[in-house]
Amino acid sequence: MTGFLDVYSIIFLVLAVVILFKLRSVLGRRTGSERPPFDPYSPRQRESAEGGREGNDNVVSLPSRGEEGDDEDERKQAQDRRLEKVAPAGSALNEALRAIISSDRSFDPRSFVEGGKAAYEMIVTAFAAGDRKTLKNLLSKEVYDGFVAAIADREQRKETVAFTFVGIDKAEIVEATLKKNIAQVTVRFRSKIISATRNEDGAIIEGDPNQVVDVTDIWTFSRDVTQRDPNWKLVATETAD
């Protein structure tokens, strides 16, 4: 019985040696010099994978003062170039716009003009349609009251306006100020419209529904630069001759 067990023990031992040998041939041997598994969230390994230098894990690369200065200089130069396309360097308008930018870093004159063009179309279209709700969101209280009074007079006379906004030929900033955190920017709009006013009988009393008219308006927008509300409101209107 003892001999029988010894035979099986030898068989099992041989099988164990064979299995161990196979595993070593497939998986290889650990020598102590293997690289650890790659961890993409490890700062050191991410830096190495991106071509950065390997070194002390506690060292964090920071931009030098020279790099920061270069970035700031480039930003200011780009800002100056954009500003000079709106107002010549050294002009009163350039200085005024520069003061607004210093108080409101989100202000960009060229973007402001594009927004002003959109506001202009919305306002003149809403006025013609008697859309008080739209006007209230875009006008200061004083201007809104004046527009609403004109709409009410028109409605009382039972007049209607057929209006088509054709487009804006040109929009440019002509004046700007910053006083006690209140920024004001004045824009001259040169637009084309079609407008005809009819009385209650349908007769045309002003304008021509078949004629495109050139209109020049000078509008002033205002905003308190200390407020979080980024919206500008129309505070003054003038029609140029």
Side-chain angles (χ1 to χ4, degrees):
M1 189 70 176
T2 301
F4 179 76
L5 291 175
D6 289 342
V7 171
Y8 277 94
S9 297
I10 293 172
I11 293 173
F12 285 129
L13 181 59
V14 171
L15 288 174
V17 171
V18 172
I19 292 172
L20 179 61
F21 177 79
K22 291 292 185 181
L23 287 174
R24 286 170 64 87
S25 64
V26 173
L27 301 179
R29 302 181 181 182
R30 294 191 62 84
T31 64
S33 61
E34 296 83 2
R35 286 188 173 186
F38 180 77
D39 179 4
Y41 298 101
S42 167
R44 180 179 178 181
Q45 292 187 344
R46 184 168 60 249
E47 190 175 83
S48 177
E50 294 173 354
R53 62 179 180 274
E54 295 184 10
N56 190 338
D57 290 343
N58 295 323
V59 175
V60 178
S61 298
L62 296 175
S64 66
R65 290 184 180 272
E67 290 173 342
E68 288 180 339
D70 291 344
D71 290 343
E72 183 66 15
D73 288 344
E74 289 177 4
R75 187 188 67 79
K76 288 183 178 179
Q77 290 172 8
Q79 183 184 87
D80 288 343
R81 288 193 295 270
R82 291 195 302 270
L83 192 54
E84 288 171 11
K85 291 180 179 179
V86 177
S91 65
L93 179 57
N94 185 289
E95 294 302 319
L97 292 174
R98 194 178 296 278
I100 295 175
I101 292 171
S102 297
S103 298
D104 179 7
R105 294 178 66 88
S106 66
F107 178 75
D108 177 72
R110 297 184 71 183
S111 298
F112 176 86
V113 170
E114 292 304 311
K117 289 162 67 175
Y120 179 85
E121 179 179 354
M122 290 177 65
I123 291 170
V124 296
T125 302
F127 176 71
D131 184 353
R132 294 170 173 82
K133 183 177 180 181
T134 296
L135 293 174
K136 191 170 186 178
N137 294 326
L138 298 170
L139 312 180
S140 68
K141 184 181 184 306
E142 294 77 9
V143 176
Y144 175 76
D145 290 344
F147 275 42
V148 168
I151 292 172
D153 288 344
R154 191 172 67 208
E155 292 173 342
Q156 187 175 8
R157 295 190 299 268
K158 297 182 180 180
E159 297 173 353
T160 57
V161 178
F163 180 85
T164 300
F165 185 82
V166 178
I168 295 177
D169 290 335
K170 188 176 182 180
E172 58 181 341
I173 297 175
V174 294
E175 188 176 348
T177 60
L178 178 65
K179 296 180 180 179
K180 296 181 179 180
N181 298 323
I182 303 300
Q184 291 193 347
V185 180
T186 301
V187 182
R188 180 189 289 119
F189 297 97
R190 296 175 182 171
S191 64
K192 292 186 183 315
I193 65 170
I194 301 173
S195 179
T197 302
R198 299 177 184 272
N199 62 18
E200 61 180 321
D201 296 325
I204 297 174
I205 58 175
E206 185 178 356
D208 186 336
N210 300 310
Q211 182 179 1
V212 177
V213 179
D214 293 321
V215 178
T216 299
D217 286 313
I218 300 174
W219 286 9
T220 299
F221 299 89
S222 180
R223 174 177 176 265
D224 185 341
V225 295
T226 64
Q227 300 298 314
R228 298 186 65 181
D229 183 0
N231 295 319
W232 294 69
K233 291 198 172 184
L234 180 63
V235 297
T237 64
E238 178 185 350
T239 301
D241 295 334

